[in-house]
Structure formats: C-alpha cells, structure tokens
Amino acid sequence: MLKEYINDEWLPVLQHNHLDTFEALWDLNKDDWFEPPNYRRGGWSGVVKTAIPLPDGTEVGVFIKRQENHFFRSWRNFFRLTATFEREFRNLLNFRRLGVPTLEPIYYCQKTVDGKLRAIVVTRELEGYQPFDAQCYNPISQIGTSRRGQVISRVAKTLRSMHDARLQHNCLYLKHVFVKEGPDGAVDARLIDLEKAKWRPIKSIITTRDLYSLYRCAEGWSRTDRLRFFLAYRNEEHLGSESKKLLRGIVRRLIHKNRRV
C-alpha cells in the first residue's frame, strides 16, 4: 500500500506554507469545490483548485483531489480496501517513469480517520493548457489547416508514446487530453485521469480500444482529420497493411456502437 508520497522538489514549498501534512492539505479550502463531490461506491470524491505561494513571492496553481470511503478491491488484494486514488496515483508515477506526458505529482497520502478511509492527491495545474474538447477546439474545423495538423499530430504522438509503453488509458476521451500551444507554434499534450489505466501486453488491442473511445467523442472531426490523426499515430505517410487492419477494427466498433444507439 502506498501510504504517503511527497515530491522532493515540492517539499520546501509545502513546508513554507505549512502544508506538508495530510491534515493541513485535507482542510485547505475545504468546501471551495472546483468540481462538486461525486457520491458513489458508498463514499465521495471531489476536487479543489487553489494557489500556493512560492518563497519568491509568486504563486502556483494546484489541484487537490480528496476522497472518503471511495475504494476498490483488486484480485491481488481482495481482502484489503484500497483508495481508488492510490491506483490513479500509481499510474501517474508509472506514466512519468516511462516518459509519457502527464501531470506533475506533488503529494499523495491515504489515512483512516474515524473509521473512514481518506485519500488526497495533489498535482500542479497544467497552466496554459486546454482540454481537447474545449470550445477553442470544438469543432476542430474552426482552426486553420496547418495549425490543426500540428495539434492533431502532437496529440497522436503523445498517445503513441503511451501505447508504445503498453499502457492503455481505458477511458480515453478528448477531455482527458490537455493541449498547450506556444507562441512559436510548438504544441505540447498531456494525459490526465489515469484511474483506469492498465498495462496490456498486446498493442493492437490497446490501440483499438483507446482510439475507438477517442474517435467516438471526436464530434466535428472530418474523415480527413481522423485519417491525419491515425497516420501521425502510426508514423506513416500512407496506410500500411497493418494500419489498414487496425483502422478497420476501430471503424467496425464505431459502426456497431452507432447501430445500437
């Protein structure tokens, strides 16, 4: 069980603000919810956004995710209740270890308080980033062809880095991809909400599952946009035989889903 994690680079900042304990972070802006608590599984989970002063007088935005009695059982630990945040935080650390762009972790801890399992995850705000389903990208046809190609290509390559590591997001929607465009045209992308991410041995299954989810919510994308994305993901100029096979599998799932709706 992962009891507590503190990012070494952030420890002086937390200490400077007397926020280097579970209790202090649990009570910080306690009811100022960025997202209202989600009640399920016999407990709740919610998110607070706040700014933490730095020693130099500037501030940095952070997100504090809190949950209580929000746990799961795995086949490895069937008789031990585990906070769902532990699974998400372990995935976050694993993504970073494998070089897959995601959030910067600051703090994690879980404790039993008055018989209730509580957990906290603190991450740095993705300043300057927008979710890929934000108004500025929806529909994607509203942005110029060249810029659109750069954004699509960067997102595709970010997903490929995840899949090359045999990691499946398992809940991959546009809102889980954050994009930042620099004044020089450079594009960066990060992946968030990793609670359901898992390692899988067969890359073709990972690709089909995740890209099906992404394409399914990519409203306003033309066939050309989707093809451009897939070519960038596959690092190809023209579809090879294996790529055609993968794309057919994704399209079949989309058609089957649409028929059921």
Side-chain angles (χ1 to χ4, degrees), residues 145-155 181 184-187 228:
T145 303
S146 176
R147 178 182 159 211
R148 190 190 324 168
Q150 288 179 297
V151 172
I152 285 176
S153 178
R154 173 45 54 196
V155 171
E181 298 180 71
D184 59 351
V187 182
R228 181 183 287 119

Side-chain angles (χ1 to χ4, degrees), residues 1-7 11 14 19-23 25 86 89 93 106-111 120:
M1 177 184 291
L2 179 61
K3 293 272 186 158
E4 185 176 46
Y5 166 94
I6 302 179
N7 187 324
L11 181 57
L14 296 176
L19 293 174
D20 54 329
T21 66
F22 178 92
E23 292 74 18
L25 286 166
E86 179 182 332
F89 194 75
L93 295 180
I106 296 176
Y107 180 88
Y108 172 83
C109 188
Q110 61 177 299
K111 283 188 175 183
I120 299 174

Side-chain angles (χ1 to χ4, degrees), residues 54-182:
L54 299 177
D56 63 5
T58 60
E59 292 184 337
V60 62
V62 300
F63 283 94
I64 303 173
K65 299 176 69 173
R66 302 187 183 102
Q67 66 178 204
E68 182 176 88
N69 282 354
H70 206 276
F71 36 67
F72 75 100
R73 299 180 191 271
S74 69
W75 65 271
R76 292 180 178 178
N77 302 293
F78 187 77
F79 297 103
R80 176 173 66 85
L81 296 177
T82 304
T84 58
F85 279 174
E86 179 182 332
R87 178 169 57 183
E88 180 176 358
F89 194 75
R90 285 187 183 279
N91 283 333
L92 193 159
L93 295 180
N94 193 35
F95 270 51
R96 288 176 62 87
R97 180 179 65 83
L98 295 171
V100 182
T102 184
L103 301 167
E104 180 179 357
I106 296 176
Y107 180 88
Y108 172 83
C109 188
Q110 61 177 299
K111 283 188 175 183
T112 300
V113 180
D114 297 328
K116 299 174 181 178
L117 180 63
R118 292 177 173 177
I120 299 174
V121 174
V122 183
T123 56
R124 182 170 185 166
E125 176 188 8
L126 288 174
E127 187 176 359
Y129 288 76
Q130 295 284 341
F132 207 23
D133 67 345
Q135 190 173 358
C136 58
Y137 296 120
N138 188 17
I140 202 166
S141 59
Q142 69 181 293
I143 65 178
T145 303
S146 176
R147 178 182 159 211
R148 190 190 324 168
Q150 288 179 297
V151 172
I152 285 176
S153 178
R154 173 45 54 196
V155 171
K157 290 175 181 177
T158 299
L159 298 192
R160 189 178 72 220
S161 72
M162 174 175 65
H163 293 164
D164 283 346
R166 296 300 190 272
L167 296 171
Q168 179 176 304
H169 190 282
N170 232 15
C171 189
L172 187 62
Y173 303 127
L174 296 181
K175 66 181 181 180
H176 296 146
V177 181
F178 272 60
V179 177
K180 181 178 183 179
E181 298 180 71

